[in-house]
Amino acid sequence: MGKIRVIVDRRTCIACGVAPTVCSEIFQLGLDNGKNRVIDKYSMKLTDEISEGEIPEELYECAKRAEESCPVVAIHVERI
């Protein structure tokens, strides 16, 4: 079992709240600009433009549901 990389393009994000609703174990709306981000527990990089993190394998399906639910395709999930 490997790790999973999750990337949120915060420039594309419209802060609709779908990802945190679908998968609050990984995503939240940021206090900095209101846009989606990876929660602190899994965060590796956070700027106004991008939020990147690594999650354990057991959260893969949750992350994929959020990716598939994002109306502007701002979330990308990949195995590393």
Side-chain angles (χ1 to χ4, degrees):
M1 287 192 198
K3 291 251 183 186
I4 311 298
R5 178 175 292 129
V6 178
I7 300 168
V8 178
D9 181 344
R10 298 180 91 205
R11 293 169 296 193
T12 303
C13 178
I14 58 172
C16 67
V18 169
T21 300
V22 171
C23 189
S24 62
E25 297 94 325
I26 300 171
F27 303 102
Q28 68 182 40
L29 294 179
L31 296 176
D32 56 343
N33 64 6
K35 298 204 175 178
N36 192 28
R37 60 162 295 193
V38 176
I39 66 169
D40 287 339
K41 180 176 181 178
Y42 302 117
S43 182
M44 298 185 68
K45 180 179 182 179
L46 177 64
T47 68
D48 287 342
E49 292 83 31
I50 194 167
S51 176
E52 185 174 334
E54 285 186 14
I55 61 169
E57 178 71 32
E58 59 265 20
L59 290 176
Y60 177 76
E61 291 301 322
C62 186
K64 286 301 283 184
R65 281 193 305 274
E67 177 185 48
E68 293 165 1
S69 298
C70 179
V72 293
V73 194
I75 299 171
H76 305 285
V77 179
E78 60 188 35
R79 293 183 188 277
I80 53 172

